[in-house]
């Protein structure tokens, strides 16, 4: 059987920075060539970054992508890499579409191309366009109608893009009909909890349906609220894993494959779902026989808490760095949320670039002050204390506020101080709110919701505690100082806006609250279904009312890393003005 050394480059790209992305392609192609690769692949929309959203509708951006692709092909050849076929994702447009109502302006395509000998020898567009969750690809793209196949080293290699695997039909059965020996799918598949399990099952199933070896190449890194975990996979025609890459780790996955020779009577024409086989022959003769040195490998899987923690670190790091910031600012209350955010920030960009400020009021407990200082000492972040009491007294003297208005004033003064320091010193402010608080509106607008990024906005409070315990445990196992004070983990959560206040004065216990929220927010189950699961009807009704009436607050919260199947934002879109309420 012919041999083929495949290089899957599981790397990051930066939306809109086409020049830097092209540089990455050249760098990793050279690395792949040095490792003896015969075929090289890069992720979905590598050249433009993903997702480009409405940039896809801007003609100048589409043309910049198309021009950069041609220049990249010439550059690879000029640097001595032209003989190595390269599969790379980019943004294209169809030449054939007639403008019409309902079609995206300019008829853009989520496309990929094969570069060889200084030329773009094959172009194709994603056939299945996702339109659920965070995906709006019907808004942006028109579908492809070909089944691309390249012949490399005497092996027919079929090509697909991400959703082409996730939906039934299309390019998977077309690959079998085309008689390909290998199917490569390039992807920008966002991370979600437990998605690695479903992803592996999908790849195994599709390999069996295609009747050939399947290589699933995924992106890593972060883009706004999305984070990409890599987890590239290669399986044989029976679904047996040949190689699996680590999560959240950039690199080149090399694998030596024995593949069936291309058929002399390889099918042509239109096959499944009306796809037309487009076959390009790059090299008919098998590569010279060699001793395989790379037979794949199976990277250790991360446990659930480590996986989530790493996703949050990668998402935060990407947001800070790709937006040109060098440092972050966090209000440190001594509580668990700000402590976890600080630990994440230190791991993402280094403690020397993390600035914490304690802003006590007359209601702040001694332990909130000492716990904040202890966190700073444990992590090595920059720390200061600035009391809000003089400002609070001045406002109260002028306005004479009471009750909730008085409580929220403290939070808003802290938010004002953080933004003032941000403007003065150039730090980006991180908001510490978690998903439980955002769900029920347990936050103060223009107070603790102040910030440019919310690293834990998609993390329920009960998971916040688990992640803090995980991070401390991981540090202890490495012989390091656990970053989060034990007292921040064990003490009852409190906003400390009035004497003796704790969160359970206003909310159910977090394990119960989070279980209800998971059913209502994440799975769209109604009141009756939640009560039937064993929860108190009055508690459920009150919780659902809080969720429904807090939509206006969530709309004003900053972006933050998405780790669940349904985060607040593009996943869950509800009207602010909404008279519907769940009834018992």
């Amino acid at each position: 059987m012919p041999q083929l050394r495949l290089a899957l480059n599981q790397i990051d790209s930066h939306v809109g920075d086409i020049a830097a992305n092209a540089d990455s392609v050249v760098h990793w192609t050279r690395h792949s060539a040095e490792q003896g690769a015969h075929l090289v692949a890069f992720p979905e929309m590598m050249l433009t970054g993903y997702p480009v959203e409405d940039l896809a509708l801007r003609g100048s951006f589409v043309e910049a992508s198309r021009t950069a692709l041609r220049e990249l092909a010439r550059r690879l050849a000029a640097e001595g890499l032209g003989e190595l076929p390269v599969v790379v994702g980019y943004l294209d447009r169809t030449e054939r579409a007639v403008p019409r109502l309902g079609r995206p302006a300019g008829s853009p395509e989520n496309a990929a191309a094969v570069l060889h000998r200084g030329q773009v020898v094959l172009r194709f567009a994603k056939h299945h366009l996702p339109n659920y969750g965070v995906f709006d690809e019907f808004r942006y793209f028109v579908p492809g109608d070909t089944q691309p196949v390249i012949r490399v080293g005497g092996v027919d290699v079929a090509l697909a893009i991400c959703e082409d695997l996730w939906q039934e039909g299309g390019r998977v059965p077309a690959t079998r009909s085309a008689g390909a020996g290998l199917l490569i799918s390039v992807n920008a598949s966002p991370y979600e909890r437990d998605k690695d399990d479903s992803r592996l099952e999908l790849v195994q199933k599709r390999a069996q349906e295609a009747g050939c070896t399947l290589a699933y190449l995924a992106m890593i890194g972060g883009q706004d609220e999305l984070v990409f975990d890599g987890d590239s996979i290669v399986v044989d025609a029976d679904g047996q894993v040949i190689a699996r890459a680590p999560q959240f780790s950039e690199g080149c996955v090399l694998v030596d494959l024995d593949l069936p020779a291309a058929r002399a009577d390889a099918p042509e024409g239109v096959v499944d779902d009306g796809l037309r086989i487009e076959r390009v022959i790059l090299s008919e003769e098998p590569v010279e026989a060699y001793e395989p040195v790379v037979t794949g490998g199976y990277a250790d899987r991360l446990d659930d808490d480590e996986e989530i923690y790493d996703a949050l670190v990668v998402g935060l790091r990407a947001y800070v760095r790709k937006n040109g910031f060098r440092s972050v600012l966090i209000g440190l209350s001594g509580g668990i949320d700000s402590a976890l955010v600080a630990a994440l920030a230190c791991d993402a960009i280094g403690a020397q670039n993390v600035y914490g400020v304690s802003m006590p009021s007359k209601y702040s407990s001694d332990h909130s002050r000492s716990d904040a200082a202890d966190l700073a000492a444990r992590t090595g972040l920059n720390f200061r204390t600035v009391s809000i009491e003089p400002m609070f007294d001045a406002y109260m003297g002028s306005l004479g506020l009471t009750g909730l208005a008085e409580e929220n004033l403290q939070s808003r003064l802290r938010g004002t101080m953080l933004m003032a320091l941000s403007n003065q010193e150039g730090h980006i402010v991180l908001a510490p709110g978690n998903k439980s608080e955002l769900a029920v509106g347990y936050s103060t607008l223009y107070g603790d919701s102040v910030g440019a990024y919310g690293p834990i906005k998609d993390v329920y409070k009960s998971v916040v505690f688990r992640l803090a315990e995980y991070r401390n445990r991981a540090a202890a196992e490495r012989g390091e100082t656990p970053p989060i004070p034990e007292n921040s983990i064990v003490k009852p959560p409190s906003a400390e806006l009035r004497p003796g206040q704790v969160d359970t004065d206003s909310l159910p216990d977090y394990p119960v609250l989070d279980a209800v929220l998971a059913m209502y927010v994440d799975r769209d189950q109604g009141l009756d279904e939640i009560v039937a699961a064993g929860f108190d009807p009055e508690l459920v009704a009150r919780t659902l009312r809080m969720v429904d009436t807090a939509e206006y607050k969530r709309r004003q919260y900053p972006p933050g890393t998405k780790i669940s199947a349904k985060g607040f934002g593009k996943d869950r879109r509800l009207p602010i003005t909404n008279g519907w309420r769940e009834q018992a």
Side-chain angles (χ1 to χ4, degrees), residues 104-379:
S107 299
E109 295 175 317
N110 179 338
V114 180
L115 312 182
H116 189 235
R117 295 180 178 174
Q119 300 294 318
V120 180
V121 298
L122 178 66
R123 306 169 187 251
F124 65 99
K126 184 188 284 189
H127 177 59
H128 287 311
L129 299 177
N131 203 52
Y132 54 86
V134 299
F135 304 108
D136 286 319
E137 296 208 4
F138 283 156
R139 173 183 173 89
Y140 301 122
F141 304 120
V142 296
D145 58 5
T146 65
Q147 175 54 65
V149 180
I150 56 173
R151 187 165 295 174
V152 180
V155 176
D156 277 350
V157 181
L159 302 170
I161 302 175
C162 200
E163 192 72 12
D164 292 339
L165 291 192
W166 289 92
Q167 293 189 31
E168 300 290 339
R171 286 195 168 125
V172 172
T175 294
R176 179 183 284 273
S177 297
L182 172 65
L183 171 59
I184 298 176
S185 176
V186 297
N187 308 271
S189 178
Y191 168 79
E192 292 173 9
R193 291 179 60 180
D194 303 322
K195 192 175 185 178
D196 57 330
D197 298 328
S198 58
R199 187 183 287 152
L200 176 59
E201 292 172 1
L202 174 79
V203 171
Q204 291 173 318
K205 178 183 178 184
R206 296 301 190 228
Q208 293 168 340
E209 292 172 351
C212 67
T213 298
L214 195 160
Y216 175 98
L217 167 60
M219 182 183 290
I220 69 111
Q223 169 61 26
D224 292 343
E225 296 195 307
L226 300 182
V227 62
F228 304 93
D229 62 325
D231 191 28
S232 298
I233 305 168
V234 182
V235 303
D236 66 18
D238 296 322
Q240 296 299 309
V241 177
I242 299 172
R244 191 166 189 184
Q247 294 171 278
F248 306 108
S249 179
E250 187 171 58
C252 176
V253 179
L254 284 168
V255 59
D256 282 318
L257 300 170
D258 292 323
L259 299 167
R263 292 166 47 182
D265 60 344
E268 301 290 346
V270 175
V271 288
D272 304 79
D273 277 12
L275 294 172
R276 174 178 48 83
I277 295 175
E278 185 171 359
R279 195 183 304 275
V280 174
I281 297 175
L282 303 181
S283 50
E284 286 274 21
E285 292 300 314
V287 300
E288 187 175 342
Y290 64 93
E291 187 67 28
V293 296
V294 186
T295 57
Y298 197 96
D300 291 338
R301 299 292 91 196
L302 305 178
D303 67 33
D304 289 346
D305 293 338
E306 182 179 11
E307 180 184 283
I308 295 170
Y309 191 90
D310 285 1
L312 297 174
V313 168
V314 170
L316 175 57
R317 179 188 296 132
Y319 192 85
V320 172
R321 290 182 176 174
K322 289 181 178 181
N323 283 290
F325 296 100
R326 294 185 301 274
S327 55
V328 300
L329 177 65
I330 308 166
L332 297 180
S333 66
I336 188 67
D337 294 325
S338 62
L340 179 61
V341 168
L344 289 166
C346 289
D347 290 337
I349 62 171
Q352 70 277 13
N353 298 311
V354 179
Y355 291 77
V357 54
S358 172
M359 298 169 283
S361 74
K362 63 182 180 181
Y363 298 125
S364 299
S365 62
D366 291 339
H367 62 72
S368 70
R369 306 174 195 226
S370 60
D371 290 343
D374 187 16
L375 171 76
R378 287 166 175 266
T379 59

Side-chain angles (χ1 to χ4, degrees), residues 390-422:
M391 292 176 277
F392 180 78
D393 291 341
Y395 268 83
M396 291 299 293
S398 298
L399 299 174
L401 302 176
T402 60
L404 186 61
E406 178 183 359
E407 292 178 17
N408 285 340
L409 174 61
Q410 297 171 74
S411 181
R412 292 189 173 114
L413 288 172
R414 291 180 175 121
T416 298
M417 184 182 296
L418 289 171
M419 289 311 301
L421 291 173
S422 172

Side-chain angles (χ1 to χ4, degrees), residues 12-92:
D12 191 8
S13 65
H14 186 166
V15 167
D17 196 344
I18 296 175
N21 296 336
D23 288 343
S24 291
V25 171
V26 173
H27 169 81
W28 286 101
T29 300
R30 183 177 297 108
H31 172 82
S32 301
E34 291 168 351
Q35 303 303 310
H38 304 120
L39 177 60
V40 181
F42 291 90
E44 177 180 8
M45 298 196 81
M46 173 69 211
L47 201 52
T48 55
Y50 182 89
V52 295
E53 299 184 315
D54 275 16
L55 284 173
L57 307 178
R58 191 174 299 175
S60 57
F61 186 67
V62 177
E63 290 309 311
S65 171
R66 287 160 57 89
T67 299
L69 183 75
R70 295 189 294 269
E71 292 174 348
L72 176 60
R74 291 192 289 267
R75 180 179 171 188
L76 288 170
E79 298 196 20
L81 302 168
E83 292 299 318
L84 185 56
V86 175
V87 182
V88 60
Y90 74 111
L91 175 64
D92 202 353

